[in-house]
Amino acid sequence: MKNNHLSGIAALASKKMFSAMLLLALPFFAIAQTATDVVQPPKEFSLANWDWEFISYCTLAVLLILIVARAFDIGSLTEKITGKKVVNWNSTNRWVAIIFLVASVAGIWYEMIYHGKYVMIGDSYSEHGETIDSMFNWTFGFTFVVFAITEALLFYFMFKYRYRDGQKAHYYFHNNKLELIWTVVPAIVLTFLVLRGFNTWSKITAEKPKDAQEIEVFAYQFGWKARYAGADNKFGQSHFTFISGKNPLGLAVQDHVDSLLVDLKKDTALLNLQIASADDSAKAWKAAFVKFNTGSNATAYPAVFKELKTKMEDAESGAYVRQLKKDLRRKNTTITRISTYRKDDKVFNNAGNDDKITTEIVLVKGKSYTFNFRARDVIHSAWFPDFRGQMNVVPGMATWFSFVPNKTTEEARVEKNNKDFEFYLYCNKICGGAHYNMKIKITVVGSEAEYNTWMASQVPFVAPPAAPAPAEGDSGAKDSSAVVKPNAVTIR
Amino acid sequence: MSTAALHTDHHHDHDHHEHKESFISKYVFSMDHKMISKQFLITGIVMGIVGLVMSLLFRMQLAWPDEKFGIMEMLLGKWAQDGKLDPNFYMGLVTIHGTIMVFYVLTAGLSGTFSNLLIPLQVGARDMASPFLNMLSYWFFFMSSVVLLISVGVETGPASAGWTVYPPLSALEKAMPGSGLGMTLWLVAIILFIVSALLGGINYISTVLNMRTKGMSMNRMPLTIWAFFFTAVLGLLSFPVLLGAGLFLVFDRSFGTSFYLSDIYLEGVGAMENIGGSPVLYQHLFWFLGHPEVYIILMPALGITSEVISTNARKPIFGYTAMVISLMGISFLSFIVWGHHMFITGMNPFLGSVFMILTLIIAVPSAVKVFNYLTTLWKGNLRFTPAMLFSIGLVSFFISGGLTGIYLGNAALDIQLHDSYFVVAHFHLVMGSSAIFGMFAGIYHWFPRMYGRMLNNTLGQFHFWITFITAYLVFFPMHFMGLAGVPRRYYMFTLVKEFDVWMDVNKMMTIAAIVGGAAQLLFLWNFFYSIFRGKKAEQNPWQSNTLEWSAPVKHVHGNWPGAIPEVYRGPYEYSRPDREDDYFPQYVPDESDSVGTGGDGHGSAPKRKSTKKEEVAENVMFAAIKRVFGWS
Amino acid sequence: MNTKVASKRPKENYRIEPMRFNLVLMIIASCMLFAAFVSAYIVHMPDAAAKNTWTKFDLPIQFMYSAIVAVISSITIYLANRAAKNDELSANKAFLSATWILGILFCVLQYLGWKNMISMGLMPVNANPEDISASYVYAISLVHLLHVLGGIILLTVTLTKAFRFQVHKKELTLMKVTHTYWHFVGLLWIYLYLFLYFAG
Ligand code: HEM
Ligand SMILES: [Cu+2]
Ligand SMILES: [Cu+2]
């Protein structure tokens, strides 16, 4: 055999095939080459780190399987010798099928009793939500009937028509009438559902109701903010370039934007400096690396070693300067953009000063609301499951959703018999590591008065002189000057 | 895999003395469709194991979010320090699991395996239209798999933006760790994969249309072939669009263009320059592939099911023509419904309505297929081979999962259901479980054809029932969770009090998943053991009608040692009243042709006439191609 | 080897040479790719224009020259094909070589076109955010150029074979494939050029 290989390979060398092989393998090698660099270094090998419990379970499981298999092998051997079937799978399966059918009915039944009340049937807390629920009920009605009949038939047929020797199947391959029926009937049912769905959908999404109060809902990694228009009932303008630590929503507020401009200019000055002294830094880093890389330092402090090495390599390959230049360009563009807007009085019209940015949404029962969505970084999705509302929140694209809450939080608590119950708005589009923890509380109050009390407790964005700054610590946005962590120019 | 086939093919050199092949050209860079199909299958199984293990890991996290698992740290290293899974890596696992299952297992592993194995054998061709492209197709797939697996190990973690990798999350390196090198490798892998899928698809189509044996008119093709054919057409038309979407994403990531990016302020970076790009554009391009892709996955499974059910019910498939037409309808419609994945992206509501209507139309051909399967079983003589059981399982899943499509396709309901666990339940049943079951059915049915040996029946029976029950236990309760407002892709649910009631269900699902996963060991054992030691297969172990069972059990190049057999009738002539046997292979000539039924097994049209009509149509097609390209 | 078996395949089993049929399908796939680009362009334009990020600019003149080159090379490959059919081997070689040279010229012109765009300030890499239109032009012409490069490889193979007297009346498959493919990339560029010209 071995001989065969060798001569085979030798014979191939002159053939097309070989070149094709090489051609195919080349990128593969290239990838493997780069991969050695990037794949995590293996952890230090120590058997103590291993999950021996788990491994022993696995071993046991495998052993068990082998034993079972062996047992059945012996079974089939007896089958062969005695000529009798030990197990007749055809009749076994018919019973298993029936048991399965019964068990699954029981299972669904149990689940319905156990969890059915959490299923959306019947507890929408908004007006349009009721139309969605009714749509749901209709769909559920039709599909459940079909589901029950077809699944029952399937398993019943397994039971009824199992193989018997000497029996012949019914030679039946075609029936136009039947086929027509089961094309047309679903089509009619679906037409009904489509029309109803069309109506429901069009009403919900038609256009923004005119008398609705508007609330801006702002999404970022990872949280939500709501913005109310404040006393003047007018929203201030906003732009993503205005965003800074103190101004997480990027409102057009003079002081904040001006100080952002100052910060940005400082950053660009620093970047310019760094670019100018890039050669020196490169030398310094190299020296630092060489100095560090003695004795067993590299293995003793792998993290430091790696950091120094990357720094040195980046500087040597020019990646460092390229990155600086990119940053510089980006900041300059931002500065230009801000400066252009800054001159525009229509943008900086002070309407935003009294806007209230809140970490909770409060609504009044029976009032119509339009939520205007804005995202800062990636796509999020605003899902109000209790109100049957959802809309994606896309950077650079305005989206909205309107609804009328028709029960208060208190009423919901009573209904659900749960005094801690709260409504939430969840993020429902994968947006990063903390996606699972991105929610904002919604409270529906019964009267305008309650709402006003709450509103009064919220601070306007630009506080009257004495009040403290409103921006929350949890906004997560750091001051933009901290954003560019200036690589220490001098490490020497 | 190579030594595997070595055993079965041991003697075949005697048959074909003229050419001795080296090990490499026979087992590695093979151009034989049967070997390539085995390569696809084994690679698919390996990828499937990886995907399965990943899913078990994140299910463990969901069920016991506060627990620490040594096994996680052992497998994932720094991503599970002290045995607690990192949230970012959770996303990575979900993403790679989805990618692997959708593309690597259920597209390449399923369609690649069985299209390759069955198309030439069932239509009566010596090999694929271009064996060389076929080989390239596998090796691109292989490279792609390797790149994807490597991407799991990179320092910043694998791609983690979900299998749909929506920008900006996937486009901005700083948006999350997985959007760095991991995402780049993901894109490389997918581009390689697309090339592989296109090369494969081209071959499948051209073999089916162009290389059928004598008598194998289109309306005598087994439904498997029809399914593979439509699958390949879908792939050919939709994968290039994904390629386009991916290229734009590459440009945005690497060359600073703004196809998908606009108005972004990134924590830790500041305001980005990009304006005017459209993230929604990506979604349109992606789902233009994405929706056909789900049928690319499902249709081969449906084809396999048709074949297996008919064979094991010993009955002609009911409504052959309707089956073909519904496949055709599904294929056509699947190109114009992609918007149902985007109802709530803020696109024009009227457009949403249009997509809703088109989407719900798809339910009709799907329903027809289900009813036809049921009628095929009715008054059959059902032999519960593992393949048959898995096919019945597929039908069951297809019903349960397909019906929820009617909820999701309804834009009004989708407002509530989008991206909830309801969607997870929907596609795991209708696509995940169905197609996997189709794949298992295919493996159990054609294993004798692939390896010349039988799989162990008993293990197969156990494998089916455990997998079937656990799959339902895992995915069915997700409907309830979704309806109760539990969102998808959450790392844990303990931070919201309202979700507490689902904790025990979560645990149950995870345990079921682990049991189901363990049941796959039965299969793996059975598979690899039987390759070497399984019972030797007979020529036609299932008494099937189709052409592949007329080829020698030991593979030969060119499939048939002598002339390619001619085909005399449709593929589903089971239990014909005028015959003693309950089957009547396609390749057996009519003894007398006395009755003149000669039915094609799926219609009452006289044989000659329908064949002729179709021949005319085909001639027109070829003439048109020749005319257009000036080849006449 | 396998290839041998493949060539032993009985002819009656197919109507069109498999290689040519595969080519048709490949062309369809390419068309879908460009259809994706073109439709993305069409739907993106109004959006971007509303945000002033769709710089209008004149397509570089070189792109038009390359369209003309595409036409001429289509003629030469046609003549090469005809010569092969008629067994006029030296004419075949001459026209194939001409096509090859024109193909290279096409690539050079595309390159010059890009340089021209760069001189207009429209960068391929790290473009100004306002120049999404230019990014489309770069992307489309780049992917098209990759197709042309594929064509040139094909031409090279055919040419080599022609010089070995392996392209003649009885051995036309490769010639025909090259011929069709070259027409395709040529036509594709003309279409793309016209599209970008009138839409942009
Ligand atoms: C009756 C026919 C079907 C209809 C009407 C339907 C409808 C839908 C709709 C509207 C969605 C989007 C849900 C959402 O994200 O909000 C969806 C998701 C999905 N469907 Fe279907 N579907 C049907 C059948 C299928 C089949 C046969 C498959 C697979 C073979 C499938 C696979 C999927 C997948 C994978 C998703 C999830 C995609 C994702 O967001 O990751 N569907 N389906
Ligand atoms: Cu989010
Ligand atoms: Cu879809």
Side-chain angles (χ1 to χ4, degrees):
Chain A
M1 201 72 224
K2 209 165 230 158
N3 219 344
N4 213 350
H5 291 192
L6 290 178
S7 64
I9 293 171
L12 264 176
S14 61
K15 298 233 166 93
K16 276 192 283 194
M17 182 88 107
F18 190 64
S19 35
M21 197 170 97
L22 263 186
L23 209 71
L24 269 167
L26 268 181
F28 182 58
F29 287 137
I31 289 162
Q33 201 62 48
T34 47
T36 46
D37 243 17
V38 294
V39 172
Q40 315 166 15
K43 264 178 85 163
E44 206 185 315
F45 183 79
S46 152
L47 291 181
N49 282 345
W50 287 30
D51 190 346
W52 284 107
E53 198 185 325
F54 186 84
I55 293 176
S56 44
Y57 281 136
C58 289
T59 326
L60 262 180
V62 172
L63 274 179
L64 201 74
I65 290 166
L66 294 188
I67 292 168
V68 171
R70 201 69 216 135
F72 278 101
D73 274 359
I74 293 167
S76 63
L77 211 67
T78 10
E79 248 169 52
K80 225 190 239 153
I81 296 167
T82 57
K84 261 198 238 149
K85 288 231 154 148
V86 175
V87 197
N88 181 348
W89 285 108
N90 286 325
S91 48
T92 313
N93 271 306
R94 80 193 280 234
W95 290 110
V96 183
I98 285 302
I99 293 170
F100 178 81
L101 186 59
V102 174
S104 35
V105 171
I108 295 178
W109 194 264
Y110 173 77
E111 179 66 10
M112 275 301 220
I113 290 172
Y114 190 48
H115 279 132
K117 67 175 176 216
Y118 301 107
V119 170
M120 71 197 235
I121 308 164
D123 60 7
S124 150
Y125 293 93
S126 69
E127 275 174 12
H128 78 275
E130 268 147 34
T131 64
I132 291 187
D133 284 359
S134 118
M135 186 70 240
F136 176 84
N137 289 338
W138 277 104
T139 313
F140 183 75
F142 281 121
T143 50
F144 192 79
V145 170
V146 178
F147 172 72
I149 294 178
T150 45
E151 293 278 5
L153 278 182
L154 184 65
F155 290 99
Y156 176 68
F157 287 168
M158 276 180 84
F159 176 75
K160 181 87 193 285
Y161 300 115
R162 63 151 192 326
Y163 184 84
R164 269 165 288 188
D165 271 335
Q167 169 191 285
K168 219 167 179 185
H170 180 41
Y171 184 67
Y172 185 60
F173 50 78
H174 195 53
N175 183 336
N176 275 339
K177 214 198 250 160
L178 258 182
E179 286 174 68
L180 196 68
I181 290 176
W182 64 50
T183 313
V184 170
V185 172
I188 293 172
V189 172
L190 284 168
T191 313
F192 169 77
L193 292 178
V194 164
L195 288 180
R196 228 188 128 86
F198 177 75
N199 259 336
T200 317
W201 164 255
S202 315
K203 276 196 199 115
I204 296 168
T205 56
E207 52 193 45
K208 293 188 187 179
K210 284 190 199 71
D211 53 342
Q213 180 184 342
E214 306 217 346
I215 298 173
E216 181 179 83
V217 174
F218 183 84
Y220 58 91
Q221 282 174 324
F222 297 95
W224 299 94
K225 290 263 186 294
R227 176 155 71 111
Y228 288 78
D232 62 357
N233 219 3
K234 257 172 75 186
F235 282 100
Q237 302 265 4
S238 62
H239 196 258
F240 76 102
T241 48
F242 302 162
I243 297 175
S244 65
K246 297 216 182 67
N247 187 5
L249 269 60
L251 300 193
V253 167
Q254 283 152 14
D255 291 353
H256 288 312
V257 173
D258 286 345
S259 79
L260 172 64
L261 263 182
V262 172
D263 285 346
L264 281 172
K265 283 184 181 149
K266 262 191 236 154
D267 290 348
T268 52
L270 180 60
L271 282 169
N272 274 322
L273 206 73
Q274 284 175 331
I275 293 171
S277 62
D279 281 348
D280 292 346
S281 326
K283 275 187 212 125
W285 286 330
K286 174 139 199 202
F289 177 75
V290 170
K291 196 169 154 209
F292 178 82
N293 194 15
T294 49
S296 60
N297 271 354
T299 40
Y301 310 99
V304 182
F305 174 77
K306 202 172 156 203
E307 195 191 328
L308 284 177
K309 189 161 172 244
T310 348
K311 249 189 190 155
M312 179 188 73
E313 284 174 357
D314 279 358
E316 274 179 355
S317 69
Y320 169 65
V321 178
R322 251 177 286 142
Q323 187 56 44
L324 289 180
K325 285 194 174 148
K326 243 185 180 166
D327 283 349
L328 182 63
R329 187 179 121 155
R330 194 163 49 71
K331 303 241 155 173
N332 279 332
T333 314
T334 312
I335 292 175
T336 325
R337 284 189 188 146
I338 296 178
S339 314
T340 320
Y341 287 119
R342 187 65 189 80
K343 288 186 208 112
D344 190 342
D345 282 343
K346 273 198 224 99
V347 176
F348 284 83
N349 56 3
N350 288 333
N353 290 5
D354 62 349
D355 287 3
K356 292 186 171 171
I357 297 175
T358 64
T359 49
E360 174 184 12
I361 301 176
V362 177
L363 309 172
V364 181
K365 171 182 165 180
K367 229 173 122 180
S368 174
Y369 289 94
T370 295
F371 299 87
N372 294 312
F373 299 112
R374 197 151 65 86
R376 187 172 86 177
D377 29 39
V378 302
I379 301 180
H380 303 268
S381 183
W383 189 22
F384 317 77
D386 300 288
F387 305 101
R388 310 285 186 264
Q390 183 169 198
M391 182 51 67
N392 281 7
V393 186
V394 187
M397 185 176 144
T399 54
W400 58 272
F401 195 87
S402 296
F403 67 77
V404 182
N406 64 358
K407 276 177 202 155
T408 64
T409 302
E410 276 309 321
E411 283 166 352
R413 283 178 185 166
V414 174
E415 238 174 58
K416 292 185 187 279
N417 197 12
N418 173 359
K419 60 182 186 336
D420 299 325
F421 177 79
E422 299 285 2
F423 295 126
Y424 281 105
L425 160 59
Y426 301 104
C427 178
N428 200 20
K429 185 64 77 191
I430 184 170
C431 63
H435 169 56
Y436 66 99
N437 189 18
M438 187 171 156
K439 56 184 195 290
I440 182 171
K441 193 164 84 179
I442 301 175
T443 310
V444 182
V445 296
S447 67
E448 205 66 44
E450 277 171 86
Y451 169 78
N452 288 338
T453 331
W454 173 77
M455 199 32 117
S457 74
Q458 301 293 312
V459 231
F461 185 57
V462 176
E472 307 285 316
D474 76 342
S475 80
K478 285 177 215 117
D479 192 277
S480 67
S481 60
V483 157
V484 221
K485 291 181 205 102
N487 281 316
V489 191
T490 42
I491 222 179
R492 3 197 143 171
Chain B
M1 106 198 81
S2 6
T3 35
L6 199 129
H7 271 266
T8 53
D9 285 18
H10 205 71
H11 302 288
H12 105 259
D13 275 359
H14 303 299
D15 313 337
H16 266 241
H17 22 80
E18 337 120 318
H19 49 273
K20 266 229 161 56
E21 283 181 287
S22 70
F23 177 82
I24 288 183
S25 72
K26 184 162 168 200
Y27 296 116
V28 184
F29 294 103
S30 169
M31 297 210 260
D32 186 303
H33 70 102
K34 299 181 290 293
M35 181 53 68
I36 293 176
S37 106
K38 292 183 205 171
Q39 292 173 328
F40 266 110
L41 179 59
I42 306 252
T43 317
I45 288 178
V46 170
M47 292 305 272
I49 295 170
V50 176
L52 180 76
V53 169
M54 287 182 166
S55 72
L56 296 184
L57 290 177
F58 63 70
R59 277 274 14 139
M60 272 156 70
Q61 159 65 27
L62 289 176
W64 298 284
D66 305 321
E67 212 98 337
K68 294 178 175 174
F69 297 100
I71 176 74
M72 291 231 199
E73 192 172 14
M74 183 177 124
L75 288 176
L76 305 178
K78 70 166 185 184
W79 292 108
Q81 247 145 31
D82 301 330
K84 268 206 72 58
L85 187 61
D86 176 271
N88 278 308
F89 201 73
Y90 172 87
M91 295 300 187
L93 283 178
V94 178
T95 305
I96 302 297
H97 162 77
T99 312
I100 285 184
M101 288 304 186
V102 168
F103 291 113
Y104 291 75
V105 180
L106 293 177
T107 304
L110 174 58
S111 152
T113 304
F114 291 104
S115 301
N116 262 311
L117 177 71
L118 295 178
I119 290 181
L121 279 170
Q122 285 194 335
V123 304
R126 296 263 180 225
D127 204 315
M128 283 292 178
S130 167
F132 179 70
L133 290 190
N134 212 19
M135 175 191 81
L136 279 189
S137 162
Y138 172 72
W139 284 102
F140 270 104
F141 167 57
F142 180 79
M143 283 195 296
S144 163
S145 314
V146 171
V147 175
L148 192 78
L149 292 181
I150 285 179
S151 86
V152 179
V154 302
E155 194 167 347
T156 46
S160 338
W163 78 279
T164 53
V165 297
Y166 282 1
L169 186 57
S170 61
L172 303 171
E173 200 174 328
K174 298 272 162 52
M176 75 188 296
S179 296
L181 184 61
M183 188 63 219
T184 309
L185 290 179
W186 190 94
L187 282 166
V188 172
I190 287 300
I191 288 174
L192 291 173
F193 185 89
I194 294 172
V195 175
S196 152
L198 289 175
L199 292 176
I202 285 172
N203 251 326
Y204 308 151
I205 297 176
S206 114
T207 310
V208 170
L209 283 182
N210 203 15
M211 297 177 59
R212 300 188 309 275
T213 183
K214 217 166 150 206
M216 179 59 86
S217 56
M218 296 285 270
N219 62 356
R220 282 177 182 170
M221 291 196 316
L223 285 168
T224 33
I225 302 299
W226 275 111
F228 299 146
F229 173 67
F230 284 123
T231 304
V233 172
L234 288 188
L236 188 76
L237 297 181
S238 62
F239 269 115
V241 178
L242 181 66
L243 183 61
L247 285 177
F248 279 174
L249 194 51
V250 170
F251 291 152
D252 272 6
R253 288 172 54 79
S254 308
F255 305 144
T257 53
S258 311
F259 290 113
Y260 302 138
L261 301 176
S262 183
D263 295 42
I264 290 162
Y265 175 97
L266 210 56
E267 172 81 61
V269 176
M272 311 277 292
E273 279 181 285
N274 315 70
I275 43 174
S278 160
V280 177
L281 174 65
Y282 173 84
Q283 300 178 18
H284 279 294
L285 293 175
F286 181 88
W287 286 114
F288 187 85
L289 159 95
H291 190 81
E293 170 66 20
V294 303
Y295 283 100
I296 289 174
I297 286 169
L298 187 67
M299 285 205 302
L302 290 177
I304 289 171
T305 301
S306 310
E307 176 75 23
V308 171
I309 281 189
S310 176
T311 306
N312 287 301
R314 315 308 294 159
K315 257 191 86 183
I317 193 91
F318 183 81
Y320 176 95
T321 321
M323 291 298 234
V324 174
I325 291 177
S326 48
L327 280 179
M328 205 183 300
I330 288 174
S331 311
F332 172 71
L333 285 170
S334 64
F335 279 110
I336 47 177
V337 299
W338 78 89
H340 65 221
H341 297 273
M342 302 169 59
F343 283 137
I344 57 154
T345 48
M347 74 176 175
N348 183 333
F350 180 71
L351 206 58
S353 316
V354 175
F355 278 122
M356 162 164 82
I357 293 166
L358 294 170
T359 298
L360 290 194
I361 296 176
I362 284 207
V364 177
S366 311
V368 169
K369 288 201 85 81
V370 168
F371 294 136
N372 283 1
Y373 286 135
L374 283 177
T375 323
T376 307
L377 293 177
W378 177 68
K379 288 200 176 175
N381 201 13
L382 313 185
R383 298 193 306 206
F384 296 119
T385 62
M388 178 66 161
L389 290 171
F390 275 104
S391 298
I392 292 176
L394 179 149
V395 176
S396 172
F397 286 133
F398 187 50
I399 297 170
S400 333
L403 285 170
T404 49
I406 297 177
Y407 298 63
L408 295 172
N410 194 319
L413 287 176
D414 196 51
I415 293 174
Q416 173 74 352
L417 299 176
H418 178 71
D419 263 358
S420 70
Y421 258 79
F422 194 83
V423 175
V424 183
H426 163 70
F427 70 77
H428 276 99
L429 285 177
V430 76
M431 177 176 80
S433 306
S434 278
I436 285 275
F437 271 47
M439 186 163 165
F440 281 134
I443 295 173
Y444 278 101
H445 195 75
W446 280 291
F447 189 85
R449 197 66 282 253
M450 288 178 129
Y451 291 100
R453 288 172 187 269
M454 306 294 285
L455 282 170
N456 183 313
N457 181 41
T458 315
L459 287 180
Q461 304 275 350
F462 276 106
H463 176 218
F464 167 74
W465 281 109
I466 301 177
T467 314
F468 186 57
I469 291 168
T470 52
Y472 261 129
L473 284 180
V474 174
F475 299 124
F476 206 78
M478 288 183 182
H479 291 118
F480 296 90
M481 287 174 70
L483 290 173
V486 180
R488 180 182 172 191
R489 287 167 174 162
Y490 268 30
Y491 163 69
M492 56 186 191
F493 295 117
T494 41
L495 296 182
V496 181
K497 252 201 251 96
E498 267 57 55
F499 298 160
D500 282 351
V501 290
W502 300 103
M503 256 354 263
D504 43 359
V505 177
N506 261 324
K507 284 179 192 142
M508 188 277 289
M509 294 195 294
T510 300
I511 292 168
I514 293 174
V515 173
Q520 305 318 305
L521 292 176
L522 289 178
F523 168 73
L524 289 178
W525 164 266
N526 196 357
F527 186 85
F528 288 106
Y529 179 85
S530 305
I531 289 179
F532 303 104
R533 298 279 176 80
K535 206 172 80 186
K536 286 249 161 60
E538 305 155 31
Q539 177 72 36
N540 188 354
W542 319 116
Q543 292 86 42
S544 176
N545 278 345
T546 37
L547 208 52
E548 76 271 27
W549 301 106
S550 69
V553 177
K554 295 206 172 94
H555 291 177
V556 295
H557 283 302
N559 293 340
W560 289 271
I564 301 180
E566 201 177 320
V567 164
Y568 301 95
R569 67 189 63 74
Y572 298 117
E573 293 288 307
Y574 290 104
S575 300
R576 245 168 70 163
D578 59 336
R579 289 193 43 102
E580 190 99 354
D581 287 345
D582 63 355
Y583 69 117
F584 195 7
Q586 286 186 287
Y587 46 86
V588 174
D590 301 282
E591 298 96 41
S592 55
D593 210 352
S594 55
V595 209
T597 56
D600 286 331
H602 45 70
S604 42
K607 170 172 76 180
R608 293 274 141 59
K609 203 167 140 212
S610 68
T611 313
K612 213 181 222 136
K613 225 194 293 172
E614 189 221 337
E615 234 163 52
V616 171
E618 238 177 75
N619 283 339
V620 170
M621 181 191 84
F622 282 107
I625 291 178
K626 285 180 178 166
R627 176 64 57 78
V628 167
F629 290 88
W631 289 339
S632 36
Chain C
M1 304 215 35
N2 329 25
T3 37
K4 236 189 253 159
V5 179
S7 60
K8 274 199 308 200
R9 213 186 275 130
K11 273 245 154 45
E12 65 268 37
N13 258 11
Y14 50 78
R15 322 265 192 95
I16 292 185
E17 236 292 318
M19 197 162 157
R20 279 194 266 157
F21 201 77
N22 282 358
L23 180 73
V24 176
L25 298 171
M26 234 180 262
I27 288 177
I28 293 176
S30 287
C31 287
M32 284 307 292
L33 177 59
F34 285 97
F37 286 157
V38 166
S39 16
Y41 186 98
I42 292 172
V43 297
H44 204 157
M45 182 164 47
D47 272 11
K51 287 189 181 172
N52 279 330
T53 55
W54 195 268
T55 314
K56 287 212 178 268
F57 64 96
D58 290 332
L59 285 181
I61 188 80
Q62 285 86 349
F63 283 0
M64 190 170 77
Y65 295 155
S66 56
I68 294 170
V69 168
V71 173
I72 300 173
S73 69
S74 270
I75 297 173
T76 54
I77 192 97
Y78 169 77
L79 293 174
N81 187 39
R82 205 176 64 173
K85 263 194 218 162
N86 298 339
D87 250 354
E88 296 158 3
L89 296 196
S90 53
N92 170 260
K93 275 181 268 185
F95 284 124
L96 269 179
S97 315
T99 317
W100 194 89
I101 292 168
L102 288 171
I104 299 291
L105 182 61
F106 184 95
C107 300
V108 173
L109 281 170
Q110 296 300 80
Y111 175 72
L112 293 178
W114 291 338
K115 277 191 88 163
N116 194 346
M117 279 174 70
I118 291 172
S119 71
M120 292 185 229
L122 307 163
M123 306 304 276
V125 173
N126 293 326
N128 292 321
E130 289 77 22
D131 300 341
I132 295 181
S133 47
S135 299
Y136 271 97
V137 173
Y138 277 117
I140 291 177
S141 54
L142 176 71
V143 174
H144 177 264
L145 192 69
L146 292 178
H147 280 73
V148 174
L149 288 177
I152 289 180
I153 292 173
L154 202 56
L155 270 175
T156 315
V157 175
T158 321
L159 202 56
T160 328
K161 291 220 162 174
F163 276 103
R164 291 195 196 139
F165 304 103
Q166 284 163 353
V167 175
H168 47 78
K169 205 169 171 179
K170 297 209 177 95
E171 192 59 61
L172 281 174
T173 311
L174 189 61
M175 184 64 231
K176 284 190 174 177
V177 165
T178 317
H179 174 225
T180 311
Y181 184 73
W182 195 257
H183 278 329
F184 164 66
V185 289
L187 270 178
L188 185 61
W189 179 249
I190 294 167
Y191 166 74
L192 291 172
Y193 179 77
L194 291 178
F195 170 78
L196 292 173
Y197 185 84
F198 286 111

